[in-house]
Amino acid sequence: MDLVLCPSSPMLGKRVAESLGVKIAEVQYRKFPDGELYVRVLSEENSHILVGSLCSSEDIVLLNLLFDALKGEITAVIPYMGYARQDREFLKGEAVSIRAVAKMIEERAERVLTVNIHSNKAKEYFRKLMDLDAMPLIGEHFREREVVMVSPDKGSAERVKTAARFANCEWDWLEKRRIDAQTVEIAPKKLDVLGKTVVIVDDIISTGGTVVEAAKRLYELGAKRVETACIHAVLADFAAIKLFSSGISEITATDTVERIFSKISVAGLLKECILKAL
Ligand code: R5P
């Protein structure tokens, strides 16, 4: 058995390979002048663990090419499952992107591992998916510090509850309250943030818009310091600059998307699951 590193996850893939004691396969990636991608795998093994997040459309093409090039059994580890936010037909005629992605992966892979896929709905399109929860790791990271955790909306509340349990801190979510026909106020449901260090916790930070709005409100309510933590630091569209400009003091993320902010590794979590599954 060997481990195939995809261009989106070289560091995390290497960490997983080292923790499992599995060698890294020799793979060549190239891009032709017209933009076409090329993959060559030099492996004699008959069983492979492939590690690569879907951070871009190119990552999907590369994954498909790897599926073609690899011989034998594949365990597909997709730490960040991109395209999972388009998990239904919101407008008539739309592609359900994650359904198409799931079909492509499951046609070739024996088993599929991911970390905090965006929604339960997205999960429904897979039959072989193991969805791991990295929120306990986020919680443990903050355990020694005096913080409170806030979810930017009710949708992420359960995730933040888990992180807060492991951080051993108070938590809440931001609720929208209608004051009158023109005014909607956003505030923590119960928690008083005055003078506190608040960590806004979410599964994904993409454009940063959600966290920026939340941070603005938390400072208005008297928070002393606002940080943010997430599983998947997609950080599209100069999001990190937006976050820091809005007064966010620190960004903490896992390495499902490899960023300078990836202070927490999910390698151990993946290793445990792979050992159980194989
Ligand atoms: C929403 O359902 C997610 O949990 C995130 O809050 C959202 O994807 C963040 O997106 P953005 O950073 O673009 O506001």
Side-chain angles (χ1 to χ4, degrees):
M1 179 190 297
D2 58 13
L3 187 141
V4 174
L5 298 176
C6 298
S8 55
S9 302
M11 197 62 236
L12 175 56
K14 183 169 181 289
R15 285 178 181 138
V16 174
E18 278 171 359
S19 66
L20 286 170
V22 169
K23 66 172 179 276
I24 292 173
E26 192 183 338
V27 185
Q28 296 170 357
Y29 294 103
R30 274 167 53 197
K31 192 186 254 188
F32 291 107
D34 61 359
E36 281 187 12
L37 296 163
Y38 166 97
V39 167
R40 184 180 181 205
V41 182
L42 298 158
S43 166
E44 297 302 318
E45 299 295 324
N46 212 22
S47 174
H48 315 273
I49 300 165
L50 182 156
V51 182
S53 284
L54 300 184
C55 303
S56 70
S57 304
E58 280 199 356
D59 291 332
I60 295 184
V61 177
L62 286 174
L63 185 64
N64 211 3
L65 298 183
L66 282 167
F67 282 155
D68 189 73
L70 288 166
K71 309 277 177 279
E73 187 183 277
I74 299 175
T75 298
V77 180
I78 318 285
Y80 168 58
M81 187 72 76
Y83 281 81
R85 281 175 289 179
Q86 183 73 25
D87 60 4
R88 63 200 77 197
E89 199 180 324
F90 296 99
L91 298 173
K92 194 169 159 20
E94 282 182 343
V96 180
S97 309
I98 193 61
R99 184 173 59 197
V101 168
K103 195 170 157 213
M104 182 195 92
I105 297 172
E106 294 209 331
E107 249 168 28
R108 186 63 184 88
E110 296 304 312
R111 53 193 76 79
V112 188
L113 275 70
T114 194
V115 180
N116 294 88
I117 194 166
H118 182 63
S119 66
N120 286 330
K121 184 75 193 153
K123 231 184 278 187
E124 285 174 15
Y125 300 109
F126 292 85
R127 287 170 298 119
K128 309 171 184 174
L129 185 71
M130 288 169 264
D131 181 32
L132 311 180
D133 186 9
M135 276 299 168
L137 300 179
I138 299 232
E140 276 162 16
H141 180 84
F142 288 95
R143 203 176 167 84
E144 302 302 319
R145 293 186 45 203
E146 212 169 295
V147 298
V148 296
M149 290 184 164
V150 165
S151 165
D153 50 41
K154 201 170 174 196
S156 275
E158 277 306 309
R159 300 183 185 114
V160 180
K161 185 178 171 184
T162 303
R165 182 155 53 86
F166 282 83
N168 195 24
C169 72
E170 287 185 286
W171 73 281
D172 204 350
W173 74 79
L174 294 180
E175 197 181 45
K176 278 189 184 156
R177 283 180 217 133
R178 180 156 294 282
I179 308 298
D180 56 42
Q182 277 80 38
T183 330
V184 173
E185 193 187 78
I186 301 171
K189 199 165 158 51
K190 291 192 198 128
L191 192 71
D192 182 5
V193 296
L194 185 69
K196 297 192 178 143
T197 295
V198 185
V199 185
I200 302 168
V201 181
D202 211 344
D203 61 335
I204 303 172
I205 302 178
S206 184
T207 65
T210 305
V211 170
V212 166
E213 276 307 301
K216 220 165 75 186
R217 192 61 190 129
L218 291 164
Y219 277 124
E220 279 168 9
L221 291 168
K224 182 175 73 180
R225 176 182 163 99
V226 181
E227 300 181 21
T228 189
C230 67
I231 309 278
H232 311 296
V234 173
L235 299 177
D237 211 9
F238 306 106
I241 293 173
K242 257 192 259 171
L243 293 173
F244 289 140
S245 309
S246 75
I248 292 283
S249 311
E250 210 167 319
I251 304 169
T252 301
T254 76
D255 51 1
T256 58
V257 182
E258 297 189 11
R259 299 283 181 219
I260 197 155
F261 310 107
S262 301
K263 298 165 197 164
I264 301 164
S265 183
V266 297
L269 199 62
L270 294 171
K271 173 198 157 188
E272 292 306 321
C273 184
I274 292 168
L275 284 178
K276 276 189 210 143
L278 286 180

